[in-house]
Amino acid sequence: GMSHQPLLYRIDQKLGYQYIPNAIGRIHRNFEIDNLITLNSRGFHDIEHHLSPSSRRIVAIGDSFTAAIHVSKSQIWSQILQSKLRNKWQDDTVEVINLGIDGTGSNIHLELLRQHAIELQPETVVVAFTNNDIGDLSMGRIYREVYRDYVLSFINNVQQKKMRKLVDGTLN
């Protein structure tokens, strides 16, 4: 089967990597996933939130299950939760803000909360994690970058240089 990773990543010294704000890409894996991804101005796979002082804010933080780049925005659990809460509470000011990044562990989720909590001022934070997040923590910080139309994942500069050399040799 065919697999294509979208070119949405940039190196970040605190997080390892982030999505590029306003980036657009397609994720395709075998016969299961084919999704066009559009990131918002904050650099997350979420709708644009225009927060008013009166809005009720919930922040959703997590890995690939929260980022959900494999599905349309309307199918992300954070958007489904927002819709259900707005209907239940009869309150259109409820905003569920998705701060998910695929391939990350709870150490990165905590850093995301540190970076965004002051600006967003959430009433509630939902941290979504699964059993694979423990493995993500044990591997240490992972970096991702887009290099010559390839997504490279590495843990140090030595690996980064080797991977770039491999790409350069393949493309040349």
Side-chain angles (χ1 to χ4, degrees):
M2 177 73 162
S3 180
H4 177 78
Q5 185 71 19
L7 306 176
L8 307 172
Y9 304 94
R10 68 177 181 196
I11 293 174
D12 181 276
Q13 293 307 313
K14 287 188 175 182
L15 301 173
Y17 58 92
Q18 280 189 297
Y19 295 134
I20 300 168
N22 300 308
I24 299 173
R26 180 169 293 283
I27 184 169
H28 178 79
R29 289 195 188 131
N30 303 322
F31 303 103
E32 300 172 324
I33 299 170
D34 188 5
N35 188 45
L36 179 65
I37 303 155
T38 57
L39 302 179
N40 66 16
S41 61
R42 283 190 174 86
F44 294 96
H45 185 228
D46 193 12
I47 63 171
E48 273 310 322
H49 293 276
H50 303 289
L51 305 173
S52 71
S54 63
S55 65
R56 300 180 67 186
R57 299 177 195 144
I58 298 170
V59 166
I61 295 179
D63 63 0
S64 59
F65 293 101
T66 301
I69 63 174
H70 57 287
V71 298
S72 67
K73 290 178 185 176
S74 65
Q75 295 176 309
I76 300 171
W77 70 261
S78 59
Q79 283 303 298
I80 293 169
L81 177 61
Q82 176 177 289
S83 178
K84 289 185 179 213
L85 290 176
R86 284 180 173 186
N87 287 337
K88 182 177 181 168
W89 295 341
Q90 296 296 300
D91 185 352
D92 286 342
T93 69
V94 175
E95 300 282 345
V96 180
I97 303 158
N98 186 329
L99 300 183
I101 301 178
D102 68 300
T104 57
S106 55
N107 60 333
I108 303 304
H109 307 156
L110 180 60
E111 184 57 38
L112 283 167
L113 185 58
R114 285 184 183 126
Q115 289 181 11
H116 295 279
I118 292 173
E119 173 199 0
L120 298 175
Q121 295 292 304
E123 289 181 20
T124 304
V125 175
V126 178
V127 180
F129 59 91
T130 60
N131 58 350
N132 71 316
D133 291 342
I134 302 301
D136 292 338
L137 284 172
S138 67
M139 290 174 48
R141 182 151 295 130
I142 296 174
Y143 297 89
R144 284 187 189 168
E145 71 173 343
V146 174
Y147 179 72
R148 296 185 73 180
D149 291 335
Y150 285 85
V151 175
L152 306 183
S153 292
F154 49 90
I155 60 172
N156 57 41
N157 290 340
V158 173
Q159 279 188 346
Q160 179 188 30
K161 287 177 185 175
K162 285 181 181 179
M163 293 181 85
R164 283 181 171 191
K165 186 176 179 181
L166 178 65
V167 169
D168 291 341
T170 301
L171 292 178
N172 292 338

